[in-house]
Amino acid sequence: TVRALVRDPVVSRSVLGDGVEYATGDVRDRPTIDAALQGVRYAISAIGATRKDPANGPEFVDFQGVRNLAEAAAAAKLDQLVIVSSAGVTREDHPLNRMFDNVLIWKGRGEDAVRASGVPYTIVRPGGLTDKPGGQAGVRLEQGDKGTGFIPRADVARVCVAALKSPAARKRTFEIYSAPSASPDMDW
């Protein structure tokens, strides 16, 4: 069973359909996360800040929201938490920081909060996201936050789900990009 933590279940149902269980909440509001995680073994978070509302900015979502989620996941004794962050978080001079309220710096602080929480975790740092179909190319896993590249959102999702099945992915942080040839499985 998949449970989605959403702020607006009506809007979310129009996107995700009826095959998903819905928990209404907000990562900025810790008690709603605690309630949503009851009975959950694994969680994947792909949250991110928006420009539309300052209360949804990087500090409040990518840092404080991720910290709330990690602390709630640890308290709920989840088997694993997978966080989608971003390639470039270690580069303070990255253009995205200038363009979007230090988003990568706040994502990096969110990563630190996940590591400090004690919950078993995997942190996935995708390169530039595209809407191309997934599964058309391989996935390149790197560490050190030095690479560049793009990756379809569908392949990011595939990596996140694969991480749940791999003990070797636990307590790991890595970047992902599309690779030239298709690869059937992740090589952790």
Side-chain angles (χ1 to χ4, degrees):
T1 303
V2 173
R3 181 181 302 158
L5 174 64
V6 300
R7 288 192 272 182
D8 186 335
V10 173
V11 171
S12 299
R13 191 174 305 278
S14 71
V15 175
L16 300 174
D18 293 326
V20 175
E21 181 182 306
Y22 293 93
T24 303
D26 189 318
V27 295
R28 299 169 303 170
D29 182 11
R30 168 72 190 269
T32 66
I33 303 170
D34 292 326
L37 291 181
Q38 289 182 5
V40 170
R41 290 183 55 203
Y42 304 101
I44 297 173
S45 173
I47 63 174
T50 66
R51 291 182 184 199
K52 297 175 187 174
D53 177 1
N56 286 324
E59 178 182 1
F60 307 111
V61 175
D62 295 302
F63 169 53
Q64 292 174 1
V66 169
R67 181 181 62 195
N68 287 342
L69 179 59
E71 290 172 356
K77 298 187 181 350
L78 262 63
D79 290 344
Q80 188 173 5
L81 173 63
V82 176
I83 298 288
V84 177
S85 183
S86 178
V89 297
T90 65
R91 297 181 238 158
E92 285 191 27
D93 64 339
H94 196 286
L96 286 177
N97 284 324
R98 289 188 300 279
M99 292 171 26
F100 191 34
D101 299 329
N102 291 318
V103 65
L104 297 179
I105 292 169
W106 290 116
K107 282 183 180 290
R109 290 182 183 169
E111 288 184 11
D112 292 341
V114 170
R115 291 183 198 99
S117 72
V119 69
Y121 69 87
T122 303
I123 297 172
V124 179
R125 295 172 170 169
L129 298 173
T130 72
D131 291 324
K132 291 181 181 179
Q136 305 298 308
V139 176
R140 185 175 90 236
L141 281 74
E142 295 183 0
Q143 288 185 306
D145 201 17
K146 294 181 173 103
T148 61
F150 294 89
I151 188 163
R153 286 174 171 84
D155 285 341
V156 175
R158 186 168 58 105
V159 168
C160 290
V161 172
L164 296 176
K165 300 175 186 176
S166 174
R170 292 209 176 118
K171 294 189 177 180
R172 297 268 174 110
T173 300
F174 53 86
E175 296 79 42
I176 56 173
Y177 309 98
S178 290
S181 60
S183 56
D185 296 311
M186 303 298 117
D187 180 8
W188 304 105

